[in-house]
Amino acid sequence: MFSHVKDLQFEAKPDGPDAAFARRLQEVLGGKWGEMTVANQYLFQGWNCRLPGKYKDLLLDVGTEEMGHVEMIVTMITRLLDNAPLSMSEGVAGNPGGAATFAASNPAHFIHGGGGALPADSNGVPWNGSFVTASGNLLADFQLNVTAEAQGRLQVARLFNMTDDPGVKQMLRFLLARDTMHQNMWLAAIEQLKEDGLEDMPVPEAFPDSGEFTEEFGYTYLSFSSGTDANEGRWASGPTPDGKGEFRYGDSPRANAPEPVLPPGDPRLYGTNPGVAGSVVNTVKSKLT
């Protein structure tokens, strides 16, 4: 059961209209790493979670908070679109920068949205449910959630430097602070999963060890670049983060199987086949003519 509180988590009110920036702000609403993505991602992860208790509550709590962030950004975009020029002549009239604002605005904000926000990114591409990942494996999902919060915070930080509006900057500061919390929170949740003995690296931990394949291939760094610079990295020597092996550096990757030779394809699919299949192709042609 959900309920809606009309008050916002934080004020979403610009000091003045700016249709051009409203278009840019769409990215952190309906882009791949925007609030619509993380809100739906955390909620689906929570709804699908088969482990009742703190982890399910965590996912649903944060997903619900992020839905509130969707409302904040929608509100900010809508307010930024107030009194925007709807034609070039309106943009030029009494406002030297109005023409530039008109040219940089998203016409879909007015044609589709009637002066409101859209479920789309800054280029007007509609938000896509394929952005959402809810795999059922909490460690895999939590690691992706760290990435989602990092990418989201990165984009908000970039947007912060694209506006001079004090009101917009205040809301962005709030979102940056919450993204700070969420990154730390998902990292803490990853450690908690490990401490609770529920999941560990590599994901999925429950899959049985691959025996000699893990020993031979599981911990060897393969260098395909000239030089040995990569050998200086933490990933090329020493204990592996999963605590189950030692990194090795392989400077001469080798093939472990011969070149594949495929049999002729089904002639009814009309692929280009080797000569040995010519007689078969001719037989099919003769039956068709």
Side-chain angles (χ1 to χ4, degrees), residues 81-95:
L81 294 171
D82 283 348
N83 302 313
L86 299 182
S87 67
M88 184 62 75
S89 59
E90 283 186 24
V92 173
N95 183 0

Side-chain angles (χ1 to χ4, degrees), residues 21 23-38 73 120-123 127 131 147-163 168 171-173 175-176 179 183:
F21 188 75
R23 178 178 186 172
R24 297 187 179 203
L25 196 57
Q26 282 283 161
E27 192 63 37
V28 291
L29 172 63
K32 179 178 180 179
W33 303 110
E35 299 289 358
M36 289 183 64
T37 295
V38 291
I73 295 175
D121 66 13
S122 55
N123 288 315
W127 182 81
F131 298 157
T147 299
E149 293 290 346
Q151 291 291 339
R153 191 173 194 273
L154 177 62
Q155 291 185 353
V156 173
R158 288 169 173 167
L159 283 166
F160 187 87
N161 292 307
M162 296 181 187
T163 179
V168 174
M171 187 193 75
L172 296 182
R173 287 188 181 97
L175 293 175
L176 288 164
D179 286 347
Q183 285 187 47

Side-chain angles (χ1 to χ4, degrees), residues 12 35 37 59 61 74-75 115 119 210 230 285-286:
E35 299 289 358
T37 295
L59 287 161
D61 283 345
V74 166
T75 301
S210 300
K285 284 183 177 178
S286 66

